Every structure is written in C-alpha cells, then in structure tokens.
Amino acid sequence: MASATQVEWQDCTEMLGIEAEYVPAGLECGTVEVPVDYNAPDAAKTTVALTRIKASSGQPRSTVFGNPGGPGNYALNFWSPALDGSGPEGLYENHDLVAVQPRGLYGSNPMVCNVDFVGPNSANALRDACYGTDPEYMASMTTENAARDMNAVREALELAEIDYVGVSYGTAIGTDFATLFPEHTGRMVLDSNTHPDWRWSKQAEQGALAQEKRVNDIFAWIAERDDYYGLGDTPLKVFHSWKWVTDQEVGGPANLTPPPAEARDLPVELRGTPVENAALDVINGTAPARARVEGFARAAALQGLTNNATTGLYDATVGATYSEQAWPMLAHILKYYNDGGTIARVDYETVGLMLAAQENRSPVYRTDIEMNSIITCNETADPSSQLGVMSAKVDKFTGGNRLATRAAVEAAGDDCVGWEPVARTISPNGDALDEKPLVLHSEDDAITPIAGAHRVVEALGGTLVTVGGGDHGNFRTGNAAVDKLVMDFLRTGDATPGHVEGKPSPEPLPRWGEAERIAAAQQGMSAPVAGADDWYGTHRDTGAGGVNASGLGSAGVPATGSLGAPAPAPAAAPAPAPLPTPEQLHQQAEKALQDFAGQVDAAAKSLFAPFAPPAPPAQPQV
C-alpha cells in the first residue's frame, strides 16, 4: 500500500525532551505532515507526532492505535509499559502499538497565543488571543480532525486497517474514526465513554452532578471502616469530619448537600421507634435547604475572605472520584487532620491573591495547556449563556452547593462565552463496520456517566460490558478480568455482553509502627514527628508532637525518636494564625468592597473614555 505521506522518524530523547534512560525499550518516535484543513489538502500544513512500540515477537497480529482522553491529555506515552515492564498478556508481544498526539499539543505544533489581541473589554481572552494569532489553525482543532490525523498516520505507516483503544475523550475520537473510515476500522475498544449527544457542555454538567454521588460513596467507604479510621460509622458522620476541615479552606466552605442520614445518625431515643422513618424523611428532605441556608450565612459573614487553611482536601476529594484506589490516602489525610494534625495556613494577603487566581486565567495562553476549552468551545452544540454563567456564579458565591453550581456553570458554557463554535460534531454510525466495538464502562463512573456507553452501543452496535465500581478507565489499570476480556477481543473479535467485577475495594493504608519508622529513616526518608501516633498526626488529648504530660505517646508507650532512642522534648508548636476580630472582618469587607468599586470605576472609565469630552487646556503656571 503506497502512501504520499511518510513518517519522519526522529530521536525520541530529542522529540520527547527526556533522558535516554527514561525512553521505554523499543520506543520509536516520529512526525507526519497533515493538512490544516482537510477540505484544502494542498494548502497549509501542520505536523502531528506519534510513538510506536513494535511487537516483541516480530510478527504483530495487528497495529493498535490508542488515545488516553482529555481533550488535551498527553498521548505519546499512552502505551508505555509499567515500571516493572509488565502488561496484559500478549499486548506487547503480539501487537504494534501506536499513539498519535492530537494537533496543538506538545510535539504536534503547539501554539503560544499572542495576548496583544485581547482587548480591555474582551468577552473571552483565550479565544481572542488564539484566534487573533492563527484563526485557521485554531479552527482546525476539533475531534473530527483528531480522527482524520489518526487516519493520516495510518496511511503513512501503510496500514490497511487499525485496531483501536480509546479511553474517555479518546472514545469520541474513536467513534469519529469508525464513522468516517469504517473500511479501515478493525477491532475497537471504547473504555469509559463520552456521550455522543452531550458534546460538550452537557457532558461536563452531567459529570459534575455524578461526582457528588461518588463523593458520598467515598464517605460510605470510610464509614464502613470506622473501626480503623474512627471518623464516623455512617456517611453523614464522616461528612461532618470532612466538613470540619473543608469549612476552613481558602475560598469558603464547599457547602455540599450532606449524604442521606440513616438510623445510626438519629438520637438513640428515636432509633427503632415508630417515628424513626418519619424523622429520617424530615432530615433528608430538608438537607438541601439547610445546607443552602448555612452556605448563605457563611457567605454573608465573608468567610471566603477570612478562611486561610490550605489543605486542598476538597480538591483531593473530588479528584478521588476518578479512582477508588485513591480513597485510602484521602481517608489517611482526613484522619490526620481530625486527630489534630497541623493545618497549613496562609496570611490574609495571600488569601486575597489565591482568590484572585481562582477567578482569573493565566496571562499566557498556550494550546497545549488550554486544549480542553479549545475543543469544547470549537464544537459545543449548545450556545453559551452569559446570564446563565453569572447566575450560577452568584449561586456559588452566596453559598450554593459547590458541585451543583459547577454543573450549572458548565451547562451554561462558562469557558465558551464570546466563542461561537466553528464545527459540528459527527453523529456516530456503525452501519458500515465489519466488526462492532467492545464498549467498556464502570457502573458508577462519575466522570463519564454510563449513559454515554448505552448511547455508543445504540449508535455503533457492539458489545457492552459493564464493570463494577466507579473507576474512570478500566483496561490496563490492574483489573485482570478486564485485561483478559480486551486481549481476547483483540485476538478473536468475540465478546459477550455482560458484567465484570471491578477491582477489589482497596485496603486502608497500614499504620506505621516502630519498625516502619526505622526502615524509613534508614532509607533517608523524613521520619514522622517524634512521638506522633501511627497516623503521623497528633491526637487532641496529647501535647505538641503527640506526647502527653507523662512523656508517653498516644499508645501509652515511651515516646521514642526515629531510631528508637528516647525522644527529645518536643518543641512548642507554633500558634495557629488567629482568626480576625469582628472589627478586622468589617475592615476587610470594606476594603474588598472599595477594591471592587475601584475596579468597576476603572472599567467604566476605560469603556467610556473614547466618548469623554476633551480636557480643558492646562493653564500656564505663573
């Protein structure tokens, strides 16, 4: 099979910018020249990067392309093997593995956008900077072109057909490829599917809504292990242990709706009585309203301006919705803080800078950093609503549910205000496919809800296999049953609809004993504070460093240093930053309002400056 386009093979250390020791064995790197606009193939060109790992057997059964998702995730290391060199049986032995970096990302002609194109009244600085710099190239950054670029690489490698593994947004690239090039589509595995009809505002909205349910699953997991963590034996009790920390965060409390109460959350006197269910109905029925009222009260007290904790616990919790394997570490951190561990704080000047940073983009715009917004705004189906964005943000800043208001902001198209879409998304169709895809999806995936998998199967046909749990991404993540299912499908093309158990629920992290402390010290690791308990924290009933007045640690044994020697007297713990007085709060509020008024005044003067009457000539001085 001849191809007009060739791969320009390059040294991987130079192309990837890494040392030779970090380049996986057998990895090849290259670029392929592709049209900026496939409707004008002889006009402007750009390049996309690729990596390839050839089958170790020398006799590949197929070539499998892959993409990890995003939009904007780095794809060039998608097929890199685990550090120990292991992988699903037969994957590296029997298949050539190719990853194509979508245009605009590192290695595939990323662009730094000129901020000189951003005016003082710009509705969307990212759009104006990047479209001002190169409008044709910016308009070409779409899912459809990612699929077409993948096909150009297929042609350059002189392959009649390719197999494919796509994860998350990678499934969108896959469904586009299968619809556009069914004659070149072999066995396709679509893992953790985006919804073809939700591109993209609705996809982000539904993901944010699903994450709140998954956060409650985290609280339930910790509650089931109350004998180990001691953070509460119900999700609601764990929520309050978590809320105690997050209520102190810079930016204000998260104001999530509490998880449903159960009998163990009621006073003992009500449990097992005829009014038990009625009491639970009242508590759960009024929970959203009570959380909203509490959030408004905290916002009215300007708690977002006066909080100064920087634990990052809220963001870590939302991040843990991607994978259950992160839950033990999250629980460990929560245990540390609830046992009196030091909460990092900043001064109030820094608080102001952090709040400003949360609401403002970087002054530098690069396509490899902003690709998620670029793809979604270039092709989102629903027009953005500036009024909807403002309404959702007002709800957030007056104490609304953090995830619900984020969902509303996403639904209103926050990133895309002032940005008209330039492309239509492709409606997937699998009628011309000789082989239908294998569609994998976790039942409780909070990033891409399972409705997307059902829609992909409806559009393309194929086999849906659900996976227990809620992890985002299933192949090559440690689930042997899923790996076998995929490898059997790549080998035979056969799969049976059904269900696969998710990975076993993770075990809590082990608590450190003296032996672990000594081993860590011998390896040069920083040892916990002398006398600290097994959680690295300091119990509230002990003095600084976890040593009580008798010189015994929290377990009632003599406190020791990192190597077993008697611990020195603990240094006095620094006093936490004092909370501001009511007078200081009032002064801070006044300053915040004055600053805001000044910004409004400056913006108004800038807006109406062209229409202002000329200033009278200056009088000469005598």
Side-chain angles (χ1 to χ4, degrees):
M1 175 181 175
S3 171
T5 304
Q6 302 295 322
V7 178
E8 182 179 336
W9 296 107
Q10 302 180 22
D11 180 82
C12 285
T13 60
E14 294 182 5
M15 194 182 96
L16 302 181
I18 58 177
E19 301 293 335
E21 61 185 297
Y22 299 114
V23 176
L27 186 74
E28 299 175 317
C29 300
T31 59
V32 170
E33 187 176 74
V34 299
V36 170
D37 182 355
Y38 279 93
N39 292 319
D42 296 326
K45 305 287 187 180
T46 186
T47 57
V48 293
L50 71 135
T51 55
R52 178 174 67 178
I53 300 177
K54 284 192 170 183
S56 61
S57 66
Q59 298 179 321
R61 292 175 181 163
S62 73
T63 298
V64 188
F65 280 48
N67 184 277
N73 284 1
Y74 186 87
L76 294 176
N77 62 352
F78 181 69
W79 293 114
S80 294
L83 293 177
D84 62 1
S86 64
E89 185 177 355
L91 179 64
Y92 294 99
E93 294 83 359
N94 301 322
H95 301 275
D96 288 348
L97 305 172
V98 174
V100 180
Q101 183 87 313
R103 61 175 67 188
L105 298 179
Y106 176 84
S108 293
N109 194 16
M111 181 173 72
V112 178
C113 305
N114 188 344
V115 295
D116 290 343
F117 290 100
V118 180
N121 302 309
S122 174
N124 194 305
L126 171 63
R127 183 213 173 276
D128 292 351
C130 293
Y131 268 89
T133 303
D134 191 336
E136 184 182 16
Y137 188 42
M138 274 293 294
S140 79
M141 295 181 194
T142 64
T143 307
E144 177 180 339
N145 277 340
R148 292 188 181 278
D149 290 346
M150 195 164 71
N151 187 60
V153 172
R154 176 198 64 78
E155 290 179 338
L157 293 173
E158 300 185 344
L159 300 168
E161 182 181 87
I162 62 170
D163 292 346
Y164 181 77
V165 173
V167 183
S168 193
Y169 170 71
T171 65
I173 298 175
T175 58
D176 277 13
F177 184 90
T179 303
L180 293 169
F181 310 107
E183 70 278 17
H184 301 302
T185 303
R187 293 163 186 166
M188 179 168 282
V189 179
L190 303 175
D191 183 356
S192 304
N193 298 255
T194 61
H195 197 298
D197 304 333
W198 290 356
R199 300 182 187 173
W200 289 105
S201 297
K202 189 173 180 64
Q203 182 74 55
E205 174 201 23
Q206 293 299 310
L209 293 174
Q211 280 185 306
E212 185 165 16
K213 178 183 180 299
R214 197 59 176 158
V215 167
N216 287 344
D217 291 342
I218 296 174
F219 296 148
W221 183 90
I222 296 173
E224 289 168 2
R225 294 154 180 80
D226 183 52
D227 57 341
Y228 193 81
Y229 292 115
L231 293 168
D233 61 356
T234 69
L236 182 57
K237 292 175 184 175
V238 175
F239 167 79
H240 285 296
S241 296
W242 175 87
K243 193 171 184 295
W244 175 80
V245 180
T246 58
D247 277 355
Q248 305 174 58
E249 287 292 297
V250 169
N255 298 319
L256 299 187
T257 301
E262 53 189 67
R264 285 175 294 176
D265 293 308
L266 294 174
V268 175
E269 294 80 6
L270 296 182
R271 300 178 195 173
T273 69
V275 300
E276 178 184 293
N277 290 335
L280 290 174
D281 289 343
V282 170
I283 293 172
N284 294 329
T286 61
R290 286 185 287 109
R292 187 67 183 80
V293 169
E294 179 190 354
F296 181 80
R298 290 178 179 275
L302 300 179
Q303 194 164 337
L305 295 175
T306 58
N307 280 10
N308 67 344
T310 58
T311 67
L313 185 60
Y314 171 80
D315 290 334
T317 303
V318 174
T321 60
Y322 279 80
S323 173
E324 197 171 336
Q325 305 309 306
W327 296 1
M329 178 57 76
L330 180 68
H332 204 84
I333 294 170
L334 183 58
K335 172 72 174 176
Y336 166 77
Y337 288 127
N338 271 264
D339 275 5
T342 301
I343 294 178
R345 299 183 183 276
V346 295
D347 59 55
Y348 290 105
E349 182 178 355
T350 305
V351 167
L353 295 174
M354 293 175 68
L355 292 174
Q358 290 173 6
E359 290 301 311
N360 291 283
R361 288 186 179 275
S362 165
V364 177
Y365 298 108
R366 295 170 32 173
T367 58
D368 53 344
I369 302 299
E370 304 286 355
M371 187 56 66
N372 191 287
S373 293
I374 292 169
I375 293 290
T376 56
C377 297
N378 268 351
E379 59 186 37
T380 191
D382 300 319
S384 60
S385 166
Q386 190 161 9
L387 182 61
V389 171
M390 291 175 61
S391 176
K393 288 188 174 181
V394 167
D395 188 15
K396 173 186 175 182
F397 290 121
T398 57
N401 180 307
R402 182 78 64 89
L403 286 173
T405 55
R406 196 189 93 200
V409 165
E410 298 284 7
D414 183 21
D415 286 346
C416 305
V417 170
W419 188 322
E420 291 297 322
V422 297
R424 284 178 170 269
T425 57
I426 294 175
S427 181
N429 188 304
D431 292 348
L433 291 175
D434 290 334
E435 295 192 84
K436 306 297 186 183
L438 168 63
V439 179
L440 294 173
H441 212 104
S442 294
E443 292 175 312
D444 297 318
D445 188 334
I447 312 306
T448 52
I450 198 170
H454 292 293
R455 181 68 181 94
V456 167
V457 170
E458 178 186 2
L460 295 184
T463 301
L464 174 62
V465 176
T466 59
V467 182
D471 284 0
H472 185 63
N474 297 286
F475 180 50
R476 299 171 65 218
T477 62
N479 188 325
V482 169
D483 288 352
K484 183 179 186 308
L485 176 72
V486 171
M487 294 312 302
D488 288 347
F489 175 75
L490 291 176
R491 179 171 54 85
T492 66
D494 296 329
T496 302
H499 177 79
V500 174
E501 290 297 321
K503 289 178 288 189
S505 195
E507 293 296 322
L509 296 179
R511 286 176 279 196
W512 277 25
E514 192 60 31
E516 288 77 19
R517 296 174 192 273
I518 294 173
Q522 290 173 343
Q523 294 176 31
M525 294 173 58
S526 176
V529 176
D533 73 355
D534 293 339
W535 299 96
Y536 316 108
T538 56
H539 280 300
R540 292 175 181 151
D541 58 352
T542 63
V547 181
N548 57 32
S550 65
L552 299 181
S554 57
V557 296
T560 59
S562 60
L563 296 177
L579 290 175
T581 65
E583 291 78 10
Q584 291 171 322
L585 277 176
H586 182 72
Q587 292 170 359
Q588 290 168 3
E590 277 192 341
K591 185 177 185 304
L593 290 173
Q594 290 168 359
D595 290 345
F596 178 71
Q599 291 169 6
V600 172
D601 183 59
K605 289 178 179 176
S606 172
L607 180 62
F608 293 108
F611 309 103
Q619 297 295 323
Q621 294 183 349
V622 178

